Amino acid sequence: MDMNQINAPQARAINGGSPGVVVGDIDTGLDFTHPDLAPNVDFADSASCIGGVANTTPAAWMDDNGHGTHTAGTIAAAKERA
C-alpha cells in the first residue's frame, strides 16, 4: 500500500533499477535469511556499527526488532508482496 501512495509501481515501469546501485540502510539490523532479501544482501559491504566499531560478522547484524528488515525489504526485496 505504501509503495502505491508514492507511485512506485509507475516509477518502476519507467526504470526497474540496477544491481549496480549500492544502498545503505542504517536501522535495527537485517534478517539476511529472509527469502525475499537473501539474494540481494551484499555480505562484503555489510556491518553492524553498534558499539562504534564496524562488525562484519553477519550474526552481529541480525535484526532484533524487525524494522530494519522491513526497510530493507522496501529497498531491495527480490519480489513485491501484496
Side-chain angles (χ1 to χ4, degrees), residues 9-46:
Q10 294 88 336
R12 187 167 182 82
I14 295 168
N15 185 332
S18 167
V21 174
V22 176
V23 177
D25 189 8
I26 301 171
D27 212 305
T28 61
L30 172 70
D31 179 358
F32 52 85
T33 66
H34 192 288
D36 293 340
L37 295 173
N40 294 320
V41 176
D42 184 345
F43 287 86
D45 286 335
S46 298

Side-chain angles (χ1 to χ4, degrees), residues 41-80:
V41 176
D42 184 345
F43 287 86
D45 286 335
S46 298
S48 170
C49 295
I50 295 174
V53 177
N55 184 342
T56 59
T57 307
W61 33 277
M62 180 56 89
D63 196 352
D64 64 355
N65 176 283
H67 192 267
T69 300
H70 171 80
T71 59
T74 299
I75 294 166
K79 64 181 182 179
E80 184 177 333

